[in-house]
Amino acid sequence: MHATKEVNFDGLVGPTHTYAGLSHGNVASMSHRGAVSHPREAALQGLAKMRLLADLGVPQAVLPPQERPAVEMLRVLGFSGRDDAAVLRAAARTAPDLLAAASSASAMWVANAATITPSIDAADGRVHLTPANLTSKLHRSLEPPQTARTLRAIFRDPARFEVHAPLPGGGLWGDEGAANHTRLAPTHARRGLHVFVYGHRVRTQPGENDAAAPRLRRYVSRQAREASEAVARGHGLRARQAEFVRQNPAAIDAGVFHNDVIAVGNENVLFYHEAAFFRSAEVLRRLRARYATLHPEAAWQAVRVPDRRVPLAEAVRSYLFNSQLVTLAPGHMALIAPADCHDSPAVRTYLDDLVAEARTPIRAVHYVDLRQSMRNGGGPACLRLRVVLTAAERAALPAGVWFTPERHATLAAWVRRHYRETLAPADLADPALLEESRRALDELTQLLGLGSIYPFQRVDDPK
Ligand code: SUG
């Protein structure tokens, strides 16, 4: 067994999990706008998924939620009042949409928290993490400062880890983190080929293929190529270990707002829908050629799912490609798929055949019920941030972040103690919700041994 392992850090669902229709271009989010949510069930579903992974022997850790409602943002937006409760009331009266944005528990989808370069791939031999700036959506643009604080509390040792500042935003400079990034390698322990998938360029280069790409007609792209390049540069990723690939605009217009809705890679396997990339055949050729320069001796497998087996719209509806693809033993992988894939006859038949034919290392499928998160467009892969770590790097993390059966029990009890059963949009103005959330998070930082990471815990902080 390799000492280097991929650790899945899962985002814990926060106490304000709601359906506010905040993400234009994310079909599930748009269609569930205004529905009543179940925060307790959502958090327990997330914990059950972590438990499955841990029981399968995949290293599992936890990332805490963020403080919501973000009263500070409402103040910045001009809502005022004697105290926080008055600010919430003022926003609820005149701008419920802004209150909803300030209350979103969207930080749970930690595939968008950051982009990671493992130490073996970075010029300075350290693990590099850049929090995503998430500038394309108001509610998500609140996340980066807290994400940076949280990651710094976990990846503490500067000799081993560097947590960079999020990229500046501005115009089209969106960065949505690991959701648009895949690392291919013979095993997690070997040097990887980093595949950065972008939806647009800030500047179109004359004579470049991208200029010929069909235009987006319905939705917008969230990831700029220049942002991905900046992350790769900042991490000291060797140029020959990076490829920048354009997403298929037709896929974005079909609701593929992140590449992890249409492709997933793990070690030497890339599982993708034929409509995922712009000029797919050329992309695959480039990836093959680049991979061969890194590992001439080793093969990798592109598992292409044709539209006639799983139509693009069905891939988006079922979230097949937002499955986690994990290695259980050398050459033996499993897909952790949303239960929605089981409900889809086309997808289920495809997966049954894939496993039965045994032509690929994908030998099993585990279905998980994440329907609470799925209604906001967040499947298994959205809820996790993958970090490849050596044994020494793992040992340098605070013990409290590891997910064990004991911690599962502790966290489930914590959720039951603090989370509401249901939450309707109108409940967001309730000042008790703010108090409940702060109490819950305060206790959580103690459970995880993270110290004070939230602004509300820093009473002396002049802000
Ligand atoms: O950014 N949904 C998230 C889902 C993120 C999924 N992550 C990955 N694909 N990696 C988003 O669109 C909806 C919130 C609401 O509508 O209330 C939301 O933010």
Side-chain angles (χ1 to χ4, degrees), residues 20-23 26 29 109 112 139-140 179 222 258 260 376-377 382:
L22 299 171
S23 281
N26 168 341
S29 155
W109 299 297
N112 307 116
H139 67 295
R140 303 224 58 182
R222 299 198 198 183
H258 290 134
D260 69 1
N376 258 336
C382 298

Side-chain angles (χ1 to χ4, degrees), residues 268-272 284 287-288 300-305 360:
N268 59 352
V269 173
L270 178 66
F271 181 63
Y272 72 105
L284 267 289
L287 296 183
R288 278 195 194 294
W300 67 286
Q301 196 170 359
V303 183
R304 172 175 167 278
V305 181
T360 76

Side-chain angles (χ1 to χ4, degrees), residues 11 44 91 107 126 184 291 383 435 450 455 460:
L44 294 175
R126 294 184 302 157
L184 300 173
Y291 191 89
L383 285 161
E435 287 314 312
L450 291 179
D460 302 333

Side-chain angles (χ1 to χ4, degrees), residues 152-164:
R152 288 187 180 123
I154 294 173
F155 298 93
R156 292 174 182 163
D157 179 357
R160 298 183 189 283
F161 308 114
E162 178 160 0
V163 179
H164 296 255

